[in-house]
Coordinates of all heavy atoms in Angstrom, one line a residue:
M1 N 59.0 62.8 86.7 CA 59.2 64.1 87.4 C 60.5 64.7 87.0 O 61.6 64.1 87.1 CB 59.2 63.9 88.9 CG 59.5 65.2 89.7 SD 59.2 64.7 91.4 CE 59.3 66.3 92.1
P2 N 60.5 65.9 86.4 CA 61.8 66.5 85.9 C 62.7 67.0 87.1 O 62.2 67.3 88.1 CB 61.3 67.7 85.1 CG 59.9 68.1 85.7 CD 59.4 66.8 86.2
I3 N 63.9 67.0 86.8 CA 64.9 67.5 87.8 C 65.1 68.9 87.5 O 65.4 69.3 86.4 CB 66.2 66.7 87.7 CG1 66.0 65.2 88.0 CG2 67.2 67.3 88.6 CD1 67.2 64.3 87.9
V4 N 65.0 69.7 88.5 CA 65.2 71.2 88.4 C 66.4 71.6 89.1 O 66.6 71.3 90.3 CB 64.0 71.9 89.0 CG1 64.2 73.5 88.9 CG2 62.7 71.5 88.3
R5 N 67.4 72.0 88.3 CA 68.7 72.5 88.9 C 68.5 73.8 89.6 O 67.8 74.7 89.1 CB 69.7 72.7 87.8 CG 70.2 71.4 87.2 CD 71.3 71.8 86.2 NE 72.4 72.5 86.9 CZ 73.6 72.5 86.5 NH1 74.0 71.8 85.4 NH2 74.6 73.1 87.1
P6 N 69.0 73.9 90.8 CA 68.9 75.1 91.5 C 69.8 76.2 90.9 O 70.8 75.9 90.2 CB 69.5 74.8 92.9 CG 70.4 73.6 92.7 CD 69.8 72.9 91.6
Y7 N 69.4 77.4 91.1 CA 70.2 78.5 90.6 C 71.5 78.7 91.5 O 71.4 78.8 92.7 CB 69.4 79.8 90.6 CG 70.3 81.0 90.4 CD1 70.6 81.4 89.0 CD2 70.6 81.8 91.4 CE1 71.4 82.5 88.8 CE2 71.4 83.0 91.1 CZ 71.8 83.3 89.8 OH 72.6 84.4 89.7
V8 N 72.6 78.6 90.9 CA 73.9 78.8 91.7 C 74.8 79.8 90.8 O 75.0 79.5 89.7 CB 74.6 77.5 92.0 CG1 75.9 77.7 92.7 CG2 73.7 76.6 92.8
N9 N 75.3 80.7 91.5 CA 76.2 81.7 90.9 C 77.2 82.2 91.9 O 77.1 81.8 93.1 CB 75.4 82.8 90.3 CG 76.1 83.5 89.1 OD1 77.3 83.3 89.0 ND2 75.3 84.2 88.3
S10 N 78.2 82.9 91.5 CA 79.1 83.4 92.4 C 79.4 84.9 92.2 O 79.2 85.4 91.1 CB 80.4 82.6 92.4 OG 81.1 82.8 91.1
R11 N 79.8 85.6 93.2 CA 80.3 87.0 93.1 C 81.7 87.0 93.7 O 81.9 86.6 94.8 CB 79.4 87.9 94.0 CG 77.9 87.8 93.7 CD 77.5 88.5 92.4 NE 76.1 88.5 92.2 CZ 75.4 87.6 91.6 NH1 76.0 86.6 91.0 NH2 74.1 87.7 91.4
R12 N 82.7 87.5 92.9 CA 84.1 87.5 93.3 C 84.5 88.9 93.4 O 84.2 89.8 92.6 CB 84.9 86.7 92.3 CG 84.7 85.3 92.4 CD 85.6 84.6 91.3 NE 85.2 84.9 89.9 CZ 84.2 84.2 89.3 NH1 83.6 83.2 89.8 NH2 84.0 84.5 88.1
Y13 N 85.4 89.1 94.5 CA 85.9 90.4 94.7 C 87.4 90.3 95.1 O 87.8 89.4 95.7 CB 85.2 91.0 96.0 CG 83.7 91.2 95.8 CD1 82.8 90.1 96.2 CD2 83.1 92.3 95.3 CE1 81.5 90.2 96.0 CE2 81.8 92.4 95.1 CZ 80.9 91.4 95.5 OH 79.6 91.5 95.3
S14 N 88.2 91.3 94.6 CA 89.6 91.2 94.8 C 90.1 92.6 95.3 O 89.6 93.6 95.0 CB 90.4 90.8 93.5 OG 90.1 91.8 92.5
S15 N 91.2 92.5 96.1 CA 91.9 93.6 96.6 C 93.3 93.2 97.1 O 93.7 92.1 96.6 CB 91.1 94.1 97.9 OG 91.6 95.4 98.3
T16 N 93.9 94.0 97.9 CA 95.2 93.6 98.4 C 95.2 93.8 99.9 O 94.4 94.6 100.4 CB 96.4 94.4 97.8 OG1 96.2 95.8 98.1 CG2 96.5 94.2 96.2
A17 N 96.1 93.2 100.6 CA 96.3 93.3 102.0 C 96.6 94.7 102.4 O 96.1 95.2 103.5 CB 97.3 92.3 102.6
G18 N 97.2 95.5 101.6 CA 97.5 96.9 101.9 C 96.3 97.8 102.0 O 96.4 98.9 102.6
A19 N 95.1 97.3 101.6 CA 93.9 98.1 101.7 C 93.3 97.9 103.1 O 92.3 98.7 103.4 CB 92.9 97.7 100.7
G20 N 93.8 97.1 103.9 CA 93.2 96.8 105.3 C 93.7 97.8 106.3 O 94.7 98.5 106.1
T21 N 92.9 97.9 107.4 CA 93.2 98.7 108.5 C 93.1 97.9 109.8 O 92.5 96.9 109.9 CB 92.3 99.9 108.6 OG1 91.0 99.4 108.7 CG2 92.4 100.8 107.4
G22 N 93.8 98.4 110.9 CA 93.8 97.7 112.2 C 94.9 96.8 112.3 O 95.7 96.6 111.4
T23 N 95.0 96.2 113.5 CA 96.1 95.2 113.8 C 95.5 94.0 114.5 O 94.4 94.1 115.1 CB 97.2 95.8 114.6 OG1 96.7 96.3 115.8 CG2 97.9 97.0 113.8
G24 N 96.2 92.9 114.4 CA 95.8 91.7 115.2 C 94.4 91.2 114.8 O 94.1 91.1 113.6
A25 N 93.6 91.1 115.9 CA 92.2 90.5 115.7 C 91.3 91.5 115.0 O 90.2 91.1 114.5 CB 91.6 90.1 117.0
T26 N 91.7 92.8 114.9 CA 90.8 93.8 114.3 C 91.1 94.2 112.9 O 90.6 95.1 112.3 CB 90.8 95.1 115.2 OG1 92.1 95.7 115.2 CG2 90.3 94.8 116.6
F27 N 92.1 93.5 112.3 CA 92.5 93.8 110.9 C 91.4 93.5 110.0 O 90.9 92.3 110.0 CB 93.8 93.0 110.5 CG 94.2 93.4 109.1 CD1 95.0 94.5 108.9 CD2 93.9 92.5 108.0 CE1 95.4 94.8 107.6 CE2 94.3 92.8 106.7 CZ 95.0 94.0 106.5
A28 N 90.9 94.5 109.2 CA 89.8 94.2 108.3 C 90.0 95.0 107.0 O 90.8 96.0 107.0 CB 88.5 94.7 109.0
I29 N 89.4 94.5 106.0 CA 89.4 95.3 104.7 C 88.0 95.6 104.3 O 87.2 94.7 104.3 CB 90.1 94.4 103.6 CG1 91.5 94.0 103.9 CG2 90.1 95.1 102.2 CD1 92.1 93.0 103.0
A30 N 87.7 96.8 104.1 CA 86.4 97.3 103.8 C 85.9 96.8 102.5 O 86.8 96.6 101.5 CB 86.3 98.8 103.8
A31 N 84.6 96.4 102.3 CA 84.1 96.0 101.0 C 84.3 97.0 99.9 O 84.6 96.6 98.8 CB 82.6 95.7 101.2
T32 N 84.4 98.2 100.3 CA 84.6 99.3 99.3 C 86.0 99.4 98.7 O 86.3 100.0 97.8 CB 84.2 100.7 99.8 OG1 84.9 100.9 101.1 CG2 82.7 100.8 100.1
A33 N 86.9 98.6 99.4 CA 88.3 98.5 98.9 C 88.5 97.5 97.9 O 89.6 97.3 97.4 CB 89.3 98.3 100.1
F34 N 87.4 96.7 97.6 CA 87.5 95.6 96.6 C 86.9 96.0 95.2 O 86.1 97.0 95.2 CB 86.7 94.4 97.1 CG 87.3 93.7 98.2 CD1 87.3 94.1 99.5 CD2 88.0 92.5 97.9 CE1 87.9 93.4 100.6 CE2 88.7 91.8 99.0 CZ 88.6 92.2 100.3
T35 N 87.3 95.3 94.2 CA 86.7 95.5 92.9 C 86.0 94.1 92.6 O 86.4 93.1 93.0 CB 87.7 95.8 91.8 OG1 88.7 94.8 91.8 CG2 88.3 97.1 92.0
D36 N 85.0 94.2 91.7 CA 84.2 93.0 91.4 C 84.7 92.4 90.1 O 85.7 92.9 89.6 CB 82.7 93.3 91.4 CG 82.3 94.2 90.3 OD1 83.1 94.5 89.3 OD2 81.2 94.7 90.4
D37 N 84.1 91.4 89.6 CA 84.6 90.7 88.3 C 84.6 91.7 87.1 O 85.3 91.4 86.2 CB 83.6 89.5 88.0 CG 84.0 88.3 88.8 OD1 85.1 88.3 89.3 OD2 83.2 87.4 88.9
T38 N 83.8 92.7 87.2 CA 83.8 93.6 86.0 C 84.8 94.7 86.2 O 85.0 95.5 85.3 CB 82.4 94.3 85.9 OG1 82.2 95.1 87.0 CG2 81.3 93.2 85.7
G39 N 85.5 94.7 87.3 CA 86.5 95.8 87.5 C 85.9 97.0 88.2 O 86.6 98.0 88.5
A40 N 84.6 97.0 88.5 CA 84.0 98.1 89.1 C 84.2 98.0 90.7 O 84.4 97.0 91.2 CB 82.5 98.1 88.8
A41 N 84.2 99.2 91.3 CA 84.4 99.3 92.7 C 83.2 98.6 93.4 O 82.0 98.9 93.0 CB 84.6 100.7 93.2
A42 N 83.4 97.8 94.4 CA 82.4 97.2 95.2 C 81.8 98.2 96.1 O 82.5 99.1 96.6 CB 82.9 96.0 95.9
T43 N 80.5 98.1 96.4 CA 79.9 99.0 97.4 C 79.6 98.2 98.6 O 79.5 98.8 99.7 CB 78.5 99.6 96.8 OG1 77.7 98.5 96.4 CG2 78.8 100.5 95.6
A44 N 79.3 96.9 98.5 CA 79.1 96.0 99.7 C 79.2 94.6 99.2 O 79.1 94.3 98.0 CB 77.7 96.3 100.2
F45 N 79.4 93.7 100.2 CA 79.4 92.3 99.9 C 77.9 91.8 99.9 O 77.1 92.5 100.5 CB 80.2 91.5 100.9 CG 81.7 91.8 100.9 CD1 82.4 91.9 102.1 CD2 82.3 91.8 99.7 CE1 83.8 92.1 102.0 CE2 83.7 92.0 99.6 CZ 84.5 92.1 100.8
P46 N 77.6 90.7 99.3 CA 76.2 90.2 99.4 C 75.7 90.0 100.7 O 76.5 89.5 101.6 CB 76.3 88.8 98.6 CG 77.6 89.0 97.7 CD 78.5 89.8 98.5
A47 N 74.5 90.3 100.9 CA 73.9 90.1 102.2 C 73.4 88.7 102.5 O 73.3 88.2 103.6 CB 72.7 91.1 102.4
S48 N 73.1 88.0 101.3 CA 72.6 86.6 101.4 C 73.5 85.8 100.5 O 73.6 86.0 99.3 CB 71.1 86.6 101.0 OG 70.7 85.3 101.0
Y49 N 74.0 84.7 101.0 CA 74.9 83.8 100.3 C 74.8 82.4 101.0 O 74.6 82.3 102.1 CB 76.3 84.3 100.1 CG 76.9 84.6 101.4 CD1 77.7 83.7 102.1 CD2 76.8 85.9 102.0 CE1 78.3 83.9 103.3 CE2 77.5 86.2 103.2 CZ 78.2 85.2 103.9 OH 78.8 85.5 105.1
S50 N 75.2 81.4 100.2 CA 75.3 80.0 100.7 C 76.6 79.8 101.6 O 76.6 79.3 102.6 CB 75.2 79.0 99.6 OG 74.0 79.1 99.0
Y51 N 77.7 80.2 101.0 CA 79.0 80.2 101.6 C 79.9 81.0 100.9 O 79.6 81.6 99.8 CB 79.5 78.8 101.7 CG 79.8 78.1 100.4 CD1 81.0 78.1 99.8 CD2 78.8 77.4 99.7 CE1 81.3 77.5 98.6 CE2 79.0 76.8 98.5 CZ 80.3 76.9 98.0 OH 80.5 76.2 96.8
Y52 N 81.1 81.3 101.5 CA 82.1 82.1 100.7 C 83.5 81.4 100.9 O 83.8 80.6 101.8 CB 82.2 83.5 101.3 CG 82.8 83.7 102.7 CD1 84.2 84.0 102.8 CD2 82.1 83.5 103.8 CE1 84.8 84.2 104.0 CE2 82.6 83.7 105.0 CZ 84.0 84.0 105.2 OH 84.5 84.2 106.4
N53 N 84.2 81.6 99.8 CA 85.7 81.1 99.7 C 86.6 82.3 99.9 O 86.3 83.3 99.3 CB 85.9 80.4 98.4 CG 85.2 79.1 98.3 OD1 85.1 78.3 99.2 ND2 84.6 78.9 97.1
F54 N 87.6 82.1 100.7 CA 88.5 83.2 101.0 C 90.0 82.8 100.5 O 90.4 81.7 100.9 CB 88.4 83.6 102.4 CG 89.5 84.6 102.9 CD1 89.6 85.8 102.3 CD2 90.3 84.2 104.0 CE1 90.6 86.6 102.8 CE2 91.3 85.1 104.4 CZ 91.4 86.3 103.8
Y55 N 90.6 83.6 99.7 CA 91.9 83.2 99.2 C 92.9 84.3 99.6 O 92.7 85.6 99.4 CB 91.9 83.2 97.7 CG 91.0 82.1 97.1 CD1 89.6 82.4 96.9 CD2 91.4 80.8 96.8 CE1 88.8 81.5 96.4 CE2 90.6 79.9 96.3 CZ 89.2 80.2 96.1 OH 88.4 79.3 95.6
I56 N 94.1 83.9 100.1 CA 95.2 84.8 100.3 C 96.3 84.4 99.4 O 96.7 83.2 99.4 CB 95.7 84.8 101.8 CG1 94.6 85.3 102.7 CG2 97.0 85.6 101.9 CD1 95.0 85.2 104.2
N57 N 96.7 85.3 98.5 CA 97.8 84.9 97.5 C 97.4 83.7 96.7 O 98.3 82.9 96.4 CB 99.1 84.8 98.1 CG 100.3 85.1 97.2 OD1 100.1 85.7 96.2 ND2 101.4 84.5 97.6
G58 N 96.1 83.6 96.4 CA 95.7 82.5 95.5 C 95.5 81.1 96.3 O 95.1 80.1 95.7
V59 N 95.7 81.1 97.6 CA 95.6 79.9 98.4 C 94.3 79.9 99.2 O 94.1 80.8 100.0 CB 96.8 79.7 99.3 CG1 96.6 78.4 100.1 CG2 98.1 79.6 98.5
L60 N 93.4 78.9 99.0 CA 92.2 78.9 99.7 C 92.5 78.7 101.2 O 93.3 77.9 101.6 CB 91.4 77.6 99.2 CG 90.0 77.4 99.9 CD1 89.0 78.6 99.6 CD2 89.4 76.1 99.3
Q61 N 91.8 79.5 102.0 CA 92.0 79.5 103.5 C 90.9 78.7 104.2 O 89.8 78.5 103.7 CB 92.0 81.0 104.0 CG 93.1 81.8 103.4 CD 94.5 81.3 103.6 OE1 94.9 81.2 104.7 NE2 95.2 81.0 102.5
T62 N 91.2 78.3 105.4 CA 90.2 77.5 106.2 C 89.3 78.5 106.8 O 89.5 79.7 106.9 CB 91.0 76.8 107.4 OG1 91.7 77.7 108.1 CG2 91.9 75.7 106.8
A63 N 88.1 78.0 107.3 CA 87.0 78.8 107.8 C 87.4 79.7 109.0 O 86.8 80.7 109.2 CB 85.9 77.9 108.2
D64 N 88.4 79.3 109.8 CA 88.8 80.1 111.0 C 89.7 81.3 110.6 O 90.1 82.0 111.5 CB 89.5 79.2 112.0 CG 90.8 78.6 111.5 OD1 91.0 78.6 110.2 OD2 91.6 78.1 112.3
T65 N 90.0 81.5 109.4 CA 90.9 82.6 109.0 C 90.2 83.9 108.7 O 90.9 84.9 108.6 CB 91.6 82.2 107.6 OG1 92.0 80.8 107.7 CG2 92.8 83.0 107.4
S66 N 88.9 83.9 108.7 CA 88.2 85.2 108.4 C 86.8 85.2 108.8 O 86.2 84.1 109.1 CB 88.2 85.5 106.9 OG 87.5 84.5 106.2
T67 N 86.2 86.4 109.0 CA 84.8 86.6 109.1 C 84.3 87.6 108.2 O 85.1 88.5 107.9 CB 84.4 86.9 110.6 OG1 85.1 88.1 111.0 CG2 84.7 85.8 111.6
V68 N 83.1 87.6 107.7 CA 82.7 88.5 106.7 C 81.3 89.1 107.1 O 80.5 88.5 107.7 CB 82.7 87.9 105.3 CG1 81.6 86.9 105.2 CG2 82.6 88.9 104.3
T69 N 81.1 90.4 106.8 CA 79.8 91.1 106.9 C 79.6 91.7 105.6 O 80.4 91.6 104.6 CB 79.9 92.2 108.0 OG1 80.7 93.2 107.6 CG2 80.2 91.5 109.3
T70 N 78.5 92.5 105.4 CA 78.2 93.1 104.2 C 79.2 94.3 103.9 O 79.4 94.7 102.8 CB 76.8 93.7 104.1 OG1 76.6 94.6 105.2 CG2 75.8 92.6 104.1
T71 N 79.9 94.8 105.0 CA 80.8 95.9 104.8 C 82.2 95.7 104.9 O 83.0 96.5 104.5 CB 80.4 97.0 106.0 OG1 80.6 96.3 107.2 CG2 79.0 97.5 105.9
A72 N 82.6 94.5 105.4 CA 84.1 94.2 105.5 C 84.4 92.7 105.7 O 83.5 91.9 106.1 CB 84.7 95.0 106.6
I73 N 85.6 92.3 105.5 CA 86.1 91.1 105.8 C 87.2 91.2 106.9 O 88.1 92.1 106.7 CB 86.7 90.2 104.6 CG1 87.1 88.8 105.1 CG2 87.8 91.0 103.9 CD1 87.2 87.8 103.9
T74 N 87.1 90.5 108.0 CA 88.1 90.6 109.0 C 89.0 89.4 108.9 O 88.6 88.2 108.9 CB 87.4 90.7 110.4 OG1 86.5 91.8 110.4 CG2 88.4 90.8 111.6
I75 N 90.3 89.7 109.0 CA 91.4 88.7 108.8 C 92.3 88.8 110.1 O 93.2 89.6 110.0 CB 92.2 88.9 107.5 CG1 91.2 89.0 106.3 CG2 93.2 87.7 107.4 CD1 91.9 89.6 105.1
P76 N 92.0 88.1 111.2 CA 92.8 88.2 112.3 C 94.3 88.0 112.0 O 94.7 86.9 111.4 CB 92.3 87.1 113.3 CG 90.9 86.9 112.8 CD 90.9 87.1 111.3
G77 N 95.2 88.9 112.4 CA 96.6 88.8 112.1 C 97.0 89.2 110.7 O 98.1 89.1 110.3
G78 N 96.0 89.6 109.9 CA 96.3 90.0 108.5 C 97.2 91.1 108.3 O 97.8 91.3 107.2
N79 N 97.4 91.9 109.4 CA 98.3 93.0 109.2 C 99.8 92.6 109.0 O 100.6 93.4 108.6 CB 98.2 93.9 110.5 CG 98.5 93.2 111.8 OD1 97.8 92.3 112.1 ND2 99.6 93.6 112.5
V80 N 100.1 91.4 109.2 CA 101.5 90.9 109.0 C 101.8 90.6 107.5 O 102.9 90.3 107.1 CB 101.9 89.7 109.9 CG1 101.8 90.0 111.3 CG2 101.0 88.5 109.6
L81 N 100.7 90.5 106.7 CA 100.8 90.2 105.3 C 101.5 91.4 104.6 O 101.3 92.6 104.9 CB 99.5 90.0 104.7 CG 98.7 88.7 105.1 CD1 97.3 88.7 104.6 CD2 99.5 87.5 104.8
D82 N 102.3 91.1 103.5 CA 102.8 92.1 102.7 C 101.7 92.9 102.1 O 100.7 92.3 101.7 CB 103.7 91.5 101.6 CG 104.3 92.5 100.7 OD1 105.4 93.1 101.0 OD2 103.7 92.9 99.6
G83 N 101.8 94.2 102.0 CA 100.7 95.1 101.4 C 100.3 94.7 100.0 O 99.2 94.9 99.6
G84 N 101.1 94.1 99.2 CA 100.8 93.7 97.8 C 100.1 92.3 97.7 O 99.8 91.9 96.6
T85 N 100.0 91.6 98.8 CA 99.4 90.3 98.8 C 98.0 90.3 98.3 O 97.2 91.0 98.9 CB 99.4 89.6 100.1 OG1 100.8 89.6 100.6 CG2 98.9 88.2 100.1
P86 N 97.6 89.6 97.2 CA 96.3 89.6 96.7 C 95.3 88.9 97.7 O 95.6 87.8 98.2 CB 96.3 88.7 95.4 CG 97.8 88.5 95.1 CD 98.5 88.8 96.4
I87 N 94.1 89.5 97.8 CA 93.0 89.0 98.7 C 91.8 88.9 97.8 O 91.4 89.8 97.1 CB 92.7 90.0 99.8 CG1 93.9 90.2 100.7 CG2 91.5 89.4 100.7 CD1 94.5 89.1 101.5
I88 N 91.3 87.6 97.7 CA 90.1 87.4 96.9 C 89.0 86.7 97.8 O 89.3 85.8 98.6 CB 90.4 86.4 95.7 CG1 91.5 87.0 94.8 CG2 89.1 86.0 94.9 CD1 92.1 86.1 93.8
V89 N 87.8 87.2 97.6 CA 86.6 86.7 98.3 C 85.6 86.3 97.3 O 85.2 87.1 96.4 CB 86.0 87.7 99.3 CG1 84.9 87.1 100.2 CG2 87.1 88.3 100.3
E90 N 85.1 85.0 97.4 CA 84.2 84.6 96.4 C 82.9 84.1 97.2 O 83.0 83.2 98.0 CB 84.7 83.4 95.6 CG 83.7 82.7 94.7 CD 84.3 81.5 94.0 OE1 85.0 80.7 94.7 OE2 84.0 81.3 92.8
F91 N 81.8 84.7 96.9 CA 80.5 84.4 97.5 C 79.7 83.5 96.6 O 79.5 83.9 95.4 CB 79.7 85.6 97.8 CG 80.4 86.5 98.9 CD1 81.3 87.5 98.5 CD2 80.0 86.3 100.2 CE1 81.8 88.3 99.5 CE2 80.6 87.1 101.2 CZ 81.5 88.1 100.8
V92 N 79.2 82.4 97.0 CA 78.3 81.5 96.3 C 76.9 81.8 96.6 O 76.6 81.7 97.8 CB 78.7 80.0 96.5 CG1 77.7 79.1 95.7 CG2 80.2 79.7 96.1
V93 N 76.2 82.3 95.7 CA 74.8 82.8 96.0 C 73.9 81.8 95.2 O 74.1 81.2 94.3 CB 74.6 84.2 95.4 CG1 75.4 85.1 96.2 CG2 74.9 84.3 93.9
T94 N 72.7 81.6 95.8 CA 71.6 80.8 95.3 C 70.4 81.6 95.1 O 70.2 82.6 95.6 CB 71.4 79.6 96.1 OG1 71.0 80.0 97.4 CG2 72.5 78.6 96.2

């Protein structure tokens, strides 16, 4: 019986903390404030994915640091970050 590898790929999006709005628990960055791997403006995050990795200034964050929808990523307390801090979201899709 042959082994069939599942299809696995990723979608990466980058922005900066300065693109976010709100304060405290409501701080969020809209998906449209991100660019994708090709440098094109994102219109939405993937609706279906296996999991996502979230990086602040290149450091992988724990699961309690964010929540994501197709339209935005919410980062509680993210308003205290310097506006130039890089934010990267990587979705692993199957």
Side-chain angles (χ1 to χ4, degrees):
M1 176 176 192
I3 297 175
V4 179
R5 285 184 60 151
Y7 170 79
V8 176
N9 206 340
S10 66
R11 308 282 186 268
R12 289 179 294 272
Y13 302 88
S14 62
S15 187
T16 61
T21 59
T23 59
T26 64
F27 182 81
I29 304 173
T32 55
F34 285 81
T35 56
D36 64 18
D37 277 342
T38 66
T43 56
F45 291 138
S48 178
Y49 56 90
S50 296
Y51 63 92
Y52 72 97
N53 292 317
F54 171 56
Y55 301 85
I56 296 176
N57 206 22
V59 178
L60 183 62
Q61 302 298 301
T62 57
D64 62 343
T65 315
S66 66
T67 56
V68 70
T69 65
T70 58
T71 58
I73 184 165
T74 302
I75 310 163
N79 57 297
V80 301
L81 296 170
D82 180 86
T85 303
I87 304 294
I88 300 169
V89 185
E90 176 185 39
F91 293 89
V92 176
V93 295
T94 56

